[in-house]
Amino acid sequence: SDPGPSSRNRDEVSGIRSARDPLEYVKKVLLEYDLATADEVKEVEKAARKEVQEALARAKAGAFPAPTELYSDIYAQSLETNPGSEYPPFIRLPNVANSIAK
């Protein structure tokens, strides 16, 4: 369990990110073994950022999904396969009859 960022100073977080960040590692390997140039890596990063920004704009412009979509396609079963139920069968609710908080 990670105690969170409040227990680490900025230098420690920065050091861990630079040493363990998988994206930085892949970039380092690509450049170290001449599998890509620095310009090619920058172009890929730029294209990825652009794609994320476009997806974010589409998401913000779109309508909210229907409440029934909250439970759709989470697991193998959904509300469509369990008609008449308010909750999907895989959601465990408290047993009020046996609860000590009566």
Side-chain angles (χ1 to χ4, degrees):
S1 71
D2 187 9
S6 62
S7 65
R8 295 186 174 96
N9 63 37
R10 289 179 191 242
D11 293 334
E12 185 179 4
V13 171
S14 175
I16 290 171
R17 282 190 180 149
S18 65
R20 297 184 186 172
D21 184 2
L23 297 176
E24 290 299 322
Y25 175 75
V26 169
K27 285 194 312 190
K28 177 183 166 191
V29 170
L30 289 172
L31 295 172
E32 186 176 321
Y33 291 98
D34 294 323
L35 299 171
T37 66
D39 289 338
E40 289 171 329
V41 170
K42 286 180 185 177
E43 284 300 314
V44 169
E45 288 178 323
K46 185 177 176 182
R49 278 193 211 100
K50 181 180 178 187
E51 184 178 344
V52 168
Q53 289 302 316
E54 289 171 353
L56 177 62
R58 284 192 311 273
K60 285 183 175 182
F64 279 98
T68 56
E69 289 296 314
L70 288 171
Y71 304 115
S72 294
D73 302 318
I74 297 173
Y75 296 104
Q77 298 180 2
S78 66
L79 287 176
E80 291 81 22
T81 60
N82 190 23
S85 175
E86 182 180 356
Y87 300 101
F90 50 81
I91 293 184
R92 188 172 171 188
L93 299 172
N95 186 337
V96 178
N98 295 330
S99 175
I100 59 171
K102 290 182 181 178

